[in-house]
């Protein structure tokens, strides 16, 4: 893997439109007939090589394992069912190339292209009804690192407000800037009709420049679309550390949750409260809780932690007995999951790419936090800086030695809050 590189470019003076709802909204529908508001391994886990702890794969890899379970349960007839379900998944996912030149990418054999360490960039989009196609931002930026052994997987969240150099993207007529908030890279790349492929392409280039990693694939996730996935599962198990007020929901006169985005960082007298404790959450509640950052001790870092908890909980629920033994529910889940994803597999056929990830099916995700979970002031503007420790973590990932890094720096681990 290449070492970290850095490039500083002059600012193009580009800006992006004001956000009437607040940058971190995913625009869910009200859960019960409400109307829109205005404007219509925990630290105790042993990660040493002599006692490796397996890890949970991303949601789509878990779905592949569920297909294998169907085949095992129902024999030869299940093979046809598995092929049908895989067809549902792959036909639902929108694919494309995020290469800068936009040229045709040569088809690659998964057995060689994905033989060593695998690095996938996962982007959670802030999309809402009524927005133009080129006004979204990638407000969730997660690196999925799979070591060469393919027996573990790590999630690394990058702060959305991290001040970084954003390189140029010619097809979007963007000249680059010496420093800006990283979530703006998706917006800049999507201009001039470049859409999600341009946005994801510039974000990929930006994160590669920041971390020294070279990504084997990019996944763009519509978090609002996850609502349908969670509904198909029948909810997910989540833990709330402390009472957390919602910046998107209020209690109506009946005491029920009602969507009401008021673009504020302050608590209202009737703000909906996510009560402390662990429970099975409905789709709207799980998504809303994972979006909150105001009023939390570590702000965006707590939000990163909760979003990673949501992904892990979804992965666990996707392979629970109530899902994999119910062909109807499994089919609904697979279709909903596919419709929430856009992917660039870097020339590897989509079904081969997914089946390569199935080897992670029995493992746990190891969630990591940048800047050890505390705010680091940027040397530029109002954004956030990247600490030396975080740069060391990026370097360890690029050199495929994250296990050793975490053994020496356990403060970068996020405890697992998904166990029931």
């Amino acid at each position: 893997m290449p070492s970290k590189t850095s490039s500083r470019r002059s600012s193009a003076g580009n800006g992006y439109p004001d956000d009437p709802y607040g940058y971190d909204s995913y625009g869910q529908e009200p859960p019960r007939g409400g109307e829109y508001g205005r404007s219509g391994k925990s630290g105790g886990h042993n990660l040493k090589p002599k006692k490796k702890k397996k890890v949970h794969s991303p949601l789509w890899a878990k779905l592949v394992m569920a297909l294998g379970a169907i085949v095992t349960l129902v024999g030869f007839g299940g093979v046809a069912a598995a092929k049908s379900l895989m067809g549902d998944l792959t036909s639902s996912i929108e694919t494309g190339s995020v290469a800068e030149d936009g040229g045709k990418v040569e088809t690659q054999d998964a057995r060689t292209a994905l033989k060593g360490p695998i690095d996938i960039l996962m982007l959670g989009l802030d999309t809402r009804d009524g927005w133009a196609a080129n006004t979204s931002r990638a407000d969730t930026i997660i690196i999925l690192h799979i070591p060469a052994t393919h027996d573990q997987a790590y999630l690394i969240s990058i702060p959305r407000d991290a001040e970084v150099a954003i390189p140029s993207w010619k097809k979007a007529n963007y000249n680059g800037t010496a420093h800006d908030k990283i979530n703006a890279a998706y917006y800049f790349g999507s201009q001039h009709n470049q859409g999600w492929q341009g946005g994801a392409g510039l974000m990929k280039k930006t994160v590669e420049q920041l971390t020294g990693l070279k990504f084997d694939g990019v996944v763009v996730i519509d978090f609002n679309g996850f609502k349908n996935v969670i509904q198909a599962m029948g909810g997910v198990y989540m833990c709330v550390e402390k009472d957390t007020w919602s910046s998107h929901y209020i209690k109506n006169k009946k005491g029920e949750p009602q969507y009401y985005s008021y673009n504020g960082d302050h608590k209202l007298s009737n703000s909906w409260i996510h009560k402390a404790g662990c429970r099975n959450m409905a789709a709207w509640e799980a998504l809303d809780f994972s979006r909150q950052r105001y009023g939390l001790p570590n702000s965006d870092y707590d939000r990163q932690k909760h979003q990673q908890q949501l992904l892990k909980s979804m992965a666990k629920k996707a392979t629970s007995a109530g899902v994999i033994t119910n062909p109807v529910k499994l089919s609904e889940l697979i279709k909903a999951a596919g419709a929430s994803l856009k992917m660039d597999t870097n020339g590897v056929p989509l079904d081969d790419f997914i089946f390569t990830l199935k080897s992670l099916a029995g493992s746990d995700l190891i969630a990591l936090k940048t800047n050890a979970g505390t705010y680091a002031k940027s040397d530029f503007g109002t954004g956030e800086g990247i600490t030396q420790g975080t740069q060391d973590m990026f370097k360890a990932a690029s050199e495929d030695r994250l296990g050793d890094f975490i053994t020496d720096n356990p403060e970068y681990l996020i405890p697992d809050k998904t166990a029931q």
Side-chain angles (χ1 to χ4, degrees):
M1 289 289 177
S3 60
K4 179 181 176 184
T5 59
S6 178
S7 175
R8 295 290 183 264
R9 305 178 187 275
S10 61
S11 172
N14 295 25
Y16 39 89
D18 292 335
D19 179 351
Y21 295 106
Y23 284 3
D24 58 341
S25 172
Y26 301 138
Q28 295 100 283
E29 296 291 334
R32 299 186 180 93
E35 296 297 322
Y36 284 105
R38 282 181 268 174
S39 303
K41 297 170 187 192
S42 69
H45 285 208
N46 183 0
L47 300 179
K48 294 180 179 180
K50 63 181 181 181
K51 189 178 179 181
K52 284 189 177 180
K53 180 92 175 169
K54 285 190 174 180
V55 241
H56 278 288
S57 64
L59 177 61
W60 50 95
K62 283 293 186 182
L63 294 175
V64 172
M65 188 188 81
L67 295 180
I70 292 288
V71 173
T72 302
L73 288 171
V74 298
F76 181 77
V79 174
K83 289 182 177 179
S84 174
L85 291 172
M86 177 54 75
D88 288 341
L89 177 60
T90 56
S91 64
S92 299
I93 298 173
E94 182 180 344
T95 59
S97 171
V98 302
E100 185 170 10
D101 58 13
K104 184 178 180 180
V105 178
E106 293 295 327
T107 300
Q108 299 191 70
D109 187 333
R111 290 172 297 180
T112 54
L114 302 176
K115 186 176 181 180
I118 301 173
D119 293 291
I120 300 172
L121 180 63
M122 302 168 63
L123 306 176
L125 288 192
D126 182 1
T127 57
R128 299 163 218 173
D129 292 340
W131 276 29
N134 64 343
T135 55
S136 296
R137 300 168 188 81
D139 274 0
T140 298
I141 307 164
I142 298 177
I143 296 168
L144 174 66
H145 175 75
I146 302 167
T149 52
H150 290 195
D151 62 349
Q152 292 185 322
Y154 299 87
L155 288 176
I156 304 174
S157 290
I158 296 179
R160 61 194 272 284
D161 290 338
E163 291 267 1
V164 302
I166 300 179
S168 62
W169 196 255
K170 294 180 181 178
K171 295 195 72 173
N173 291 342
Y174 179 66
N175 295 325
T177 182
H179 53 85
D180 203 336
K181 292 181 179 178
I182 195 169
N183 74 334
Y186 188 94
Y187 167 82
F188 292 137
S190 68
Q191 300 305 297
H192 295 277
N193 299 316
Q194 295 308 298
W196 76 266
Q197 296 173 2
L202 180 53
M203 182 63 79
K204 173 178 176 285
K205 187 177 180 180
T206 301
V207 177
E208 286 183 339
Q209 176 176 279
L210 173 68
T211 64
L213 292 164
K214 292 296 181 183
F215 291 105
D216 302 284
V218 179
V219 179
V220 179
I221 303 169
D222 177 359
F223 272 89
N224 187 43
F226 268 8
K227 176 179 63 177
N228 297 328
V229 179
I230 298 173
Q231 286 174 342
M233 293 178 181
V236 290
Y237 191 82
M238 297 281 285
C239 290
V240 181
E241 299 96 325
K242 57 171 289 187
D243 285 2
T244 303
W245 57 271
S246 172
S247 59
H248 306 103
Y249 282 88
I250 59 172
K251 290 182 181 178
N252 62 19
K253 292 181 180 180
K254 296 181 179 180
E256 299 171 337
Q258 175 179 313
Y259 186 80
Y260 185 82
S261 183
Y262 56 90
N263 190 29
D265 58 0
H266 56 283
K267 179 181 177 182
L268 299 177
S269 61
N270 61 341
S271 290
W272 181 263
I273 305 297
H274 296 284
K275 292 292 186 180
C278 299
R279 56 190 174 274
N280 197 66
M281 290 187 178
W284 76 267
E285 184 181 8
L287 285 167
D288 186 63
F289 173 63
S290 71
R291 295 162 53 199
Q292 301 310 316
R293 62 190 178 103
Y294 298 125
L296 294 173
N298 296 302
S299 188
D300 195 49
Y301 286 101
D302 285 328
R303 185 174 70 160
Q304 290 176 25
K305 178 174 64 177
H306 298 152
Q307 288 176 346
Q308 291 187 355
Q309 181 191 166
L310 175 62
L311 291 175
K312 294 176 71 173
S313 295
M314 291 174 70
K316 288 184 178 182
K317 190 64 178 285
T319 51
S320 65
V323 175
I324 65 173
T325 59
N326 186 331
V328 173
K329 182 174 287 189
L330 181 60
S331 179
E332 292 175 353
L333 172 59
I334 285 175
K335 289 178 181 178
S340 301
L341 303 175
K342 297 178 175 65
M343 293 180 66
D344 173 18
T345 60
N346 198 28
V348 176
L350 181 57
D351 52 354
D352 288 346
F353 190 90
I354 292 173
F355 270 108
T356 298
L357 298 182
K358 80 180 187 304
S359 61
L360 297 172
S363 24
D364 280 325
L365 281 170
I366 302 172
L368 307 177
K369 48 193 171 185
T370 49
N371 295 351
T374 57
Y375 180 82
K377 190 177 184 303
S378 171
D379 294 331
F380 315 99
T382 59
E384 184 166 0
I386 297 294
T387 64
Q388 182 60 51
T390 297
Q391 292 174 0
D392 293 342
M393 180 169 63
F394 291 154
K395 190 172 189 295
S398 71
E399 296 175 353
D400 196 22
R401 50 179 184 82
L402 264 180
D404 292 338
F405 175 85
I406 297 306
T407 298
D408 295 336
N409 301 275
E411 67 273 18
Y412 283 81
L413 276 172
I414 295 177
D416 188 351
K417 297 290 186 178
T418 65
Q420 297 192 43

